[in-house]
Amino acid sequence: MSACVPTRHNRTSRSSRPPRASGVKRPHSPPPPRGGRFRIAGADVSASITVFLLAVPMSLGLAVAMDAPLQAGLISAAIGGIVAGLLGGTPLQVSGPSAGLTVVTAELIQVYGWRTTCAITIGAGLLQILLGSLRAARSALAVSPAIVHGTLAGIGVAIALAQLHIVLGGSPQSSAVANALALPDQLGRLSPAAPLIGVLTITVLVLWPRIPGRIGSGARRVPAALVAVVTATTVAALAAPGIARVDLPSWRAHVLPEMPHGPVLALATAVFTVMLVASLESLLAAMAVDKLSAAPSHSPSARTSAAPPPPAASPASPGVPASPRAPTTPTSPTPPSPTPSASPSPPSPPTPPVRRADLDRELRAQGIANTLSGLVGGLAVSGGAVRSSANVRAGAQGRASTVLHGVWVLLATGLLVTVLEWIPLAALAALVMMVGIQMVNLAHIRNVHKHREFLVYGATITGVVLFGVLKGVTIGIAVAVAVALHRLARTRITVTDQGGEHLVVVRGQLTFLAVPRLSRTLGQLPQGGNAVVELDGFFMDHAAYEAIQDWSTAQAAHGGRIVFTGRSGGRIAEPASAAHSCCRPWTPWRNHHCHDEPGRTPEAGHGPGIPFTDARPVTDPIGTPHDMPHDALTPTPAPASTPGSAPSPDVAPGRDPAPSLHRSPARTAGPPAEATRPAGGNRLISGLSSFQRNTAPLVREELARLAAEGQRPSQLFITCADSRLVTSMITASGPGDLFTVRNIGNLVPLPNAESGDDSVGAAIEYAVDVLKVESITICGHSGCGAMQALLGAKPDPQTPPTSLWRWLRHGLPSLERMASRHHAWARISGRLPTDALEQLCLTNVVQQLDHLRAHESVARRLAEGTLRLHGMYFHVGEAQAYLLTEGASSGLELDEVFDRVGPGDPAGSGELERAGV
């Protein structure tokens, strides 16, 4: 049953939580304080050099792509490494100039100028700090993945189009559309030097990770971007000395931000756009680093060996270069078997738990870095998946690698200016163009297509390319809402006659919009006919449920057999719950399989009712399991009902924790119940374990109080031992409310009767004299086996009476009362008893009340007026309770009528209050 309990799942007691000083942090919570000084490991130093060699050309290339001062790219790389590295919530993430903001920043520089763009960066940073302080980082990821990946892909397309002009030896235009339209003219003015250097750079970027053998394994330790830029720079110095190169102006010419000038609404929109893109890129990269650092192949022990190939770009890591040699699933190396001559080695220390990213802290750190970067004239900063994945693969063990990389960049801006000015602009443009191309990730496209969200993805890309980032995101959200509404309103209903049985197939979601067509289709089916209804959807609202329930009930009343199946044709046979509940701890009955082992086939249903479940794992049209809201109907074959009784559910609500338990390949009933029910011992152990896990924590405090104060039940409840009568459920009572006596036939032997039973008499005396109960209820029920035995043949006088028949003698007065002309027949309000069995069940309740009054303790309390007696009848098939009229309960010779208790009857007045029902 724990598989579907929705509350307090997988939580441990406070005593079992690791102490804060242990360094173990709960997911996405503030990190524990770390003692000691800032430590630098040797692996961090080597990793920082690797990331530095990648970050320098990347930062210069992004600055060129944005048409920003080249120093701004280096400044943002240094601040991103040092500030975000020290304060961030993802120690292994490397921050720097934002590739996702390339198009946005380029447009801002053209419209407002560089100094105002720096002020916009400051505003975006302050907004990030505010959102991080409000713990809104997780909410930023609530946007549909199709919109997020579509936005990044659209930015990648715009980056690639702009940088292609630089690779071809020209200059980019102001927008992606203008760049695309200007390409033919650019190709007509082609000069060979820049395109050849660009092609060389791209070739090295593509082929470097694919070098085979041991040579390739060692070569991949050096970033492909560094090798490509160095190779292109060397070739350009020898073959094309006149090609355009990096020009780092003097630091004296560096400008700082100014107060922004322009329309307030436009500036606010610009600040929000920069904040949105930078935050999404940083948070998605942080989650990608989480996954990458948690993989076994990137554990600290594995990092000391040869670095594994880079993984394919994940949905949360735009721009990560895909590696053809990346394994599909991480595998851990198998340790060699010990040899007899090998000396025992000391056990290796346990691997420390992986620290999860603190997204709110990361967002605050990115905001601080952006604020400082804008103040000193740098580009906007964000976490970069390319730099971060290189950091992890290089063996970084902590944030020291990220910080040192920023220090190396800072030193390079002052010491390596001459070296950096040898780099061709075409090589940097080719490098950034490849980053943009990789942001259009094929894995993302396949994923959104599989989930039928490619329309949202394509609309977002188109909007970003044509109208800009913010408008593109708005278009994507609008299309996503339209698609959701279309899916919600689109329902196809078909009916097929299969030789005496109709197959009704419902495709799509069942809402009130589909109710007229659904009712019309179902109304055309013959009354009392058999039908199979196949539901293929994940949502049903109340209107559709009512329509199907009414139709199913009417069909069952006319003798029809209705079977509901899922999309695969497997029968849905599990009773389900109300919208807020799950497998309730007190409902482990026949059709309830929370305790069953996986792989069991459910038992057939036992009532024509239509309970339904509000959530269950379903399969989408392409076969991917999802856990989403679903209202699944659960009709079952109608049993033979007695005349006059309405066919109603006699099963109780529950939820299906594993729908695979309730599906079969064919639309037929499963094996017999005896073959599917778990063994008694297993069911007992499973039920006890479920109680300890789910129910005991909820009732422990109340039971502890009762244990300390003692029991003070308000009433004595005498009922039959029939397993279908769950007294606590029928009376809505809990621990300490009822003092219950159960026996065969809810009989009360007379005090001095022959072969009397002292057990029942002792319970009555204890409840009345010791516990001082206020009322006594005798409850009979429909279909009682004891009454059926009394109506049957009597045992052979030659045969010694069994224990059962010796006990049933106490019910003979009820049989005689029913046959007597001196007593009115007991009956149910609104109708006569359906047959002799129901008549005897009702009469037996009245007769046992007479036996109860014969007990001395009961008679005394009745005379004092401190005790009340009640007769009750429970119809199992109707799940309906009936109370004997007050005059008949008091022993007055009035009509013995059992009145129906309705759901709207006041629970706190008169007879019902005293009865506790």
Side-chain angles (χ1 to χ4, degrees):
M1 185 159 64
S2 63
C4 63
V5 174
T7 58
R8 303 185 67 85
H9 191 65
N10 285 340
R11 295 192 181 183
T12 56
S13 63
R14 293 189 177 184
S15 60
S16 63
R17 294 178 182 174
R20 294 184 181 271
S22 66
V24 180
K25 180 171 69 69
R26 294 187 294 277
H28 308 302
S29 62
R34 299 184 62 185
R37 57 185 178 84
F38 183 76
R39 297 182 179 180
I40 302 176
D44 288 330
V45 175
S46 61
S48 67
I49 295 174
T50 300
V51 179
F52 157 72
L53 297 176
L54 172 64
V56 169
M58 183 76 70
S59 302
L60 292 173
L62 290 174
V64 172
M66 299 177 191
D67 197 21
L70 298 184
Q71 297 99 320
L74 298 175
I75 289 173
S76 60
I79 291 179
I82 297 174
V83 177
L86 283 173
L87 305 178
T90 312
L92 299 182
Q93 174 162 280
V94 181
S95 300
S98 172
L101 284 171
T102 301
V103 179
V104 177
T105 305
E107 183 179 357
L108 292 177
I109 292 173
Q110 289 182 359
V111 175
Y112 299 107
W114 170 242
R115 299 183 67 183
T116 299
T117 302
C118 292
I120 292 174
T121 303
I122 296 173
L126 295 175
L127 189 55
Q128 283 181 311
I129 296 174
L130 174 63
L131 293 177
S133 301
L134 295 176
R135 299 187 177 276
R138 180 61 62 180
S139 302
L141 300 178
V143 186
S144 168
I147 298 176
V148 174
H149 299 317
T151 302
L152 295 175
I155 292 172
V157 171
I159 291 174
L161 287 174
Q163 297 310 297
L164 181 57
H165 281 273
I166 300 178
V167 171
L168 295 177
S171 299
Q173 304 298 317
S174 59
S175 66
V177 177
N179 284 321
L181 296 177
L183 272 179
D185 183 63
Q186 182 64 52
L187 291 173
R189 297 182 286 105
L190 192 64
S191 59
L196 290 176
I197 293 299
V199 170
L200 176 63
T201 305
I202 294 173
T203 302
V204 175
L205 283 172
V206 173
L207 296 182
W208 187 259
R210 290 170 169 79
I211 299 176
R214 292 185 177 180
I215 296 178
S217 178
R220 280 190 294 273
R221 292 177 177 270
V222 182
L226 176 64
V227 177
V229 171
V230 170
T231 303
T233 301
T234 304
V235 172
L238 299 176
I243 195 173
R245 303 178 188 274
V246 170
D247 182 15
L248 290 174
S250 171
W251 282 103
R252 295 178 180 177
H254 186 67
V255 294
L256 298 178
E258 64 178 1
M259 291 298 295
H261 300 285
V264 176
L265 181 60
L267 291 174
T269 302
V271 170
F272 179 80
T273 303
V274 172
M275 180 278 301
L276 178 66
V277 177
S279 299
L280 282 176
E281 190 174 12
S282 299
L283 297 178
L284 292 175
M287 297 182 68
V289 172
D290 247 5
K291 298 176 184 178
L292 191 62
S293 59
S297 57
H298 296 99
S299 61
S301 59
R303 293 184 195 134
T304 58
S305 59
S314 67
S317 57
V320 179
S323 170
R325 303 181 68 252
T328 56
T329 55
T331 56
S332 57
T334 304
S337 57
T339 58
S341 60
S343 58
S345 58
S348 59
T351 303
V354 178
R355 291 177 181 269
R356 294 286 304 278
D358 185 344
L359 298 184
D360 293 308
R361 178 179 175 180
E362 182 65 34
L363 186 58
R364 290 194 299 270
Q366 295 293 333
I368 295 173
N370 272 315
T371 303
L372 293 178
S373 180
L375 284 173
V376 298
L379 296 173
V381 173
S382 72
V386 176
R387 296 179 292 260
S388 301
S389 61
N391 188 39
V392 175
R393 294 196 306 270
Q397 297 182 1
R399 62 180 73 245
S401 171
T402 303
V403 176
L404 286 176
H405 129 270
V407 173
W408 307 145
V409 173
L410 189 62
L411 293 176
T413 57
L415 303 179
L416 299 178
V417 174
T418 305
V419 176
L420 298 178
E421 289 182 340
W422 278 94
I423 301 176
L425 292 180
L428 296 178
L431 175 63
V432 177
M433 186 178 71
M434 289 299 296
V435 172
I437 292 174
Q438 289 166 356
M439 291 172 73
V440 186
N441 194 290
L442 293 179
H444 298 163
I445 296 175
R446 287 193 296 267
N447 194 37
V448 297
H449 182 269
K450 182 176 65 174
H451 292 278
R452 298 186 299 171
E453 292 185 337
F454 186 78
L455 180 61
V456 179
Y457 181 83
T460 307
I461 291 180
T462 305
V464 171
V465 172
L466 296 181
F467 307 109
V469 175
L470 195 58
K471 293 181 179 178
V473 171
T474 304
I475 292 173
I477 293 175
V479 173
V481 172
V483 169
L485 292 176
H486 173 72
R487 290 175 179 173
L488 193 62
R490 183 186 180 191
T491 306
R492 291 176 295 174
I493 306 172
T494 60
V495 179
T496 305
D497 189 353
Q498 297 183 335
E501 182 179 79
H502 289 82
L503 173 63
V504 182
V505 180
V506 181
R507 296 280 186 266
Q509 319 323 317
L510 282 173
T511 65
F512 65 94
L513 299 174
V515 168
R517 188 152 40 96
L518 177 66
S519 299
R520 183 172 59 253
T521 302
L522 296 178
Q524 294 173 354
L525 299 179
Q527 278 192 345
N530 297 334
V532 175
V533 181
E534 180 179 316
L535 301 176
D536 179 12
F538 59 85
F539 177 78
M540 176 187 297
D541 68 2
H542 186 72
Y545 163 70
E546 290 285 354
I548 295 186
Q549 184 188 39
D550 294 343
W551 172 77
S552 177
T553 302
Q555 290 291 92
H558 288 85
R561 181 176 181 271
I562 309 300
V563 176
F564 284 78
T565 69
R567 176 173 177 267
S568 62
R571 179 174 178 176
I572 306 173
E574 170 68 15
S577 71
H580 63 279
S581 62
C582 188
C583 295
R584 295 189 180 273
W586 41 265
T587 57
W589 41 64
R590 187 174 183 184
N591 245 19
H592 205 76
H593 290 275
C594 286
H595 303 294
D596 289 2
E597 299 173 3
R600 291 188 182 274
T601 305
E603 303 168 29
H606 300 282
I610 312 177
F612 59 129
T613 179
D614 64 312
R616 65 180 178 90
V618 296
T619 303
D620 66 12
I622 54 176
T624 304
H626 296 282
D627 190 17
M628 52 184 65
H630 185 88
D631 288 332
L633 297 174
T634 316
T636 49
S641 58
T642 56
S645 61
S648 304
D650 63 352
V651 293
R655 176 178 290 174
D656 185 358
S660 60
L661 304 182
H662 307 283
R663 298 179 182 268
S664 57
R667 297 187 181 99
T668 58
E674 292 77 16
T676 62
R677 180 177 298 168
N682 292 340
R683 171 162 293 206
L684 174 63
I685 295 173
S686 178
L688 292 175
S689 176
S690 176
F691 168 82
Q692 295 300 144
R693 180 173 59 252
N694 303 313
T695 310
L698 304 177
V699 300
R700 184 171 287 118
E701 182 178 355
E702 177 66 11
L703 290 179
R705 183 187 66 81
L706 291 173
E709 299 176 2
Q711 61 169 331
R712 293 186 179 89
S714 61
Q715 60 179 307
L716 169 63
F717 201 88
I718 303 175
T719 187
C720 185
D722 193 292
S723 62
R724 295 169 293 181
L725 265 69
V726 184
T727 56
S728 59
M729 181 184 69
I730 296 173
T731 61
S733 56
D737 293 337
L738 298 181
F739 188 74
T740 307
V741 174
R742 306 187 66 148
N743 58 55
I744 302 297
N746 48 274
L747 301 177
V748 180
L750 289 169
N752 300 318
E754 181 181 357
S755 302
D757 184 273
D758 290 334
S759 175
V760 178
I764 295 172
E765 183 178 342
Y766 184 81
V768 172
D769 292 338
V770 179
L771 298 179
K772 304 295 183 181
V773 296
E774 300 173 0
S775 67
I776 303 177
T777 302
I778 296 181
C779 176
H781 67 95
S782 61
C784 181
M787 300 300 103
Q788 181 69 50
L790 286 175
L791 285 175
K794 296 184 179 179
D796 188 354
Q798 305 298 329
T799 305
T802 63
S803 298
L804 177 60
W805 273 106
R806 283 196 297 270
W807 170 253
L808 289 180
R809 287 176 181 173
H810 303 297
L812 292 176
S814 300
L815 193 62
E816 296 169 0
R817 184 187 188 104
M818 188 178 73
S820 173
R821 296 183 178 181
H822 301 288
H823 299 280
W825 273 20
R827 62 185 186 275
I828 293 180
S829 178
R831 65 176 176 87
L832 293 174
T834 56
D835 53 18
L837 177 58
E838 188 171 58
Q839 177 66 66
L840 182 57
C841 292
L842 296 170
T843 302
N844 182 61
V845 173
V846 180
Q847 182 64 37
Q848 301 311 312
L849 284 172
D850 286 346
H851 291 185
L852 187 61
R853 296 185 191 96
H855 286 258
E856 180 182 355
S857 57
V858 174
R860 184 180 66 256
R861 289 280 305 277
L862 286 174
E864 295 172 356
T866 58
L867 182 67
R868 300 183 66 88
L869 304 184
H870 304 288
M872 176 179 167
Y873 175 75
F874 185 78
H875 194 290
V876 176
E878 296 177 354
Q880 178 61 57
Y882 298 85
L883 278 179
L884 187 61
T885 54
E886 186 171 1
S889 298
S890 304
L892 303 178
E893 292 297 330
L894 301 176
D895 289 343
E896 297 165 0
V897 179
F898 287 80
D899 286 331
R900 179 178 181 272
V901 180
D905 290 345
S909 62
E911 194 78 359
L912 298 180
E913 181 184 20
R914 299 186 188 96
V917 296

